Amino acid sequence: MPVGMIYARRLTVLAASATLSLTGVLATAPTAQAAMPTPVSAATARTYLAALTVKAEGSTSGYSRDLFPHWITQSGTCNTRETVLKRDGVNVVTDSSCASVSGSWYSEYDGATWTAASDLDIDHMVPLAEAWRSGASSWTTAQRQSFANDLTRPQLIAVTDNVNQAKGDLDPAKWLPSRTAYRCTYVRAWVQVKHYWNLSVDSAEKSALQSILNGC
């Protein structure tokens, strides 16, 4: 067989092998799961945490959830809550007003799965009252609105309603998800949000965050 033909056949075989390898990768790749934006790595979170201002928490004097306008319209008839429910769920069906009428939601905090949107709250990773005590009391209403509806950072997540209510406005020194496998993600998200929004941490909060991040 002429050398040229042998070379051409080799190229064909190599191309076919590459195609098969790529197909194998695509076939075995995990299906992307709907979720909040992935937080920074533990190493980056440690760097961010070291840069945060450490100070005693301020007062809740003057605080009101109304000072953090939410849920605002995101697109069409969909507000922030409805947008997060659709993002975080599986096979979510919405009606003409964007309300979720069916679907399935996995709550990362406690490992529960729900099929009714009414069983879910949209948690602010860094609670509004916590933000107020950490610097947001001096923000404009526009800044507080942006914070309360932040879909770009890992600040909003759909979770079991009573778990969110148990968390309240507590920081990681006082409350962490019962599902320990999620705690690294949780504190990475917490630190990223506080860093982006230039919020302070108190000493107990910083110690708790450092402790978990060191084990991530």
Side-chain angles (χ1 to χ4, degrees):
M1 183 180 292
V3 173
M5 291 181 66
I6 294 173
Y7 182 68
R9 176 176 286 186
R10 284 178 179 169
L11 286 177
T12 302
V13 170
L14 286 170
S17 297
T19 300
L20 285 170
S21 296
L22 180 58
T23 303
V25 169
L26 293 174
T28 57
T31 303
Q33 296 297 310
M36 72 176 185
T38 302
V40 295
S41 68
T44 299
R46 285 191 285 269
T47 300
Y48 283 1
L49 180 59
L52 292 179
T53 298
V54 180
K55 60 188 290 188
E57 280 194 346
S59 168
T60 53
S61 176
Y63 167 74
S64 167
R65 287 179 67 85
D66 293 339
L67 294 172
F68 293 78
H70 64 289
W71 305 112
I72 62 171
T73 299
Q74 292 292 340
S75 63
T77 59
C78 301
N79 67 22
T80 307
R81 171 183 164 82
E82 292 153 351
T83 300
V84 175
L85 283 172
K86 190 170 183 179
R87 181 198 70 188
D88 289 3
V90 177
N91 299 322
V92 177
V93 176
T94 56
D95 62 19
S96 59
S97 63
C98 202
S100 297
V101 293
S102 66
S104 176
W105 291 267
Y106 178 76
S107 172
E108 294 282 6
Y109 288 2
D110 57 333
T113 298
W114 303 97
T115 56
S118 58
D119 288 320
L120 296 136
D121 279 353
I122 306 305
D123 180 42
H124 288 95
M125 179 63 62
V126 175
L128 305 182
E130 165 68 19
W132 178 270
R133 297 189 298 264
S134 305
S137 59
S138 64
W139 291 354
T140 63
T141 300
Q143 285 176 302
R144 289 192 286 263
Q145 175 175 294
S146 294
F147 175 81
N149 297 275
D150 188 358
L151 293 169
T152 305
R153 265 64 53 181
Q155 162 68 343
L156 299 171
I157 183 171
V159 296
T160 303
D161 54 3
N162 61 344
V163 172
N164 179 54
Q165 289 151 26
K167 170 183 171 178
D169 63 351
L170 302 178
D171 69 37
K174 301 168 184 171
W175 188 92
L176 287 165
S178 61
R179 185 169 161 258
T180 55
Y182 196 68
R183 288 183 178 177
C184 276
T185 303
Y186 185 85
V187 299
R188 284 159 44 211
W190 181 283
V191 171
Q192 180 179 347
V193 171
K194 281 224 160 176
H195 181 266
Y196 179 84
W197 290 97
N198 196 29
L199 295 169
S200 63
V201 289
D202 63 48
S203 56
E205 176 187 354
K206 182 174 183 178
S207 293
L209 292 166
Q210 281 179 324
S211 177
I212 296 167
L213 285 173
N214 288 340
C216 293

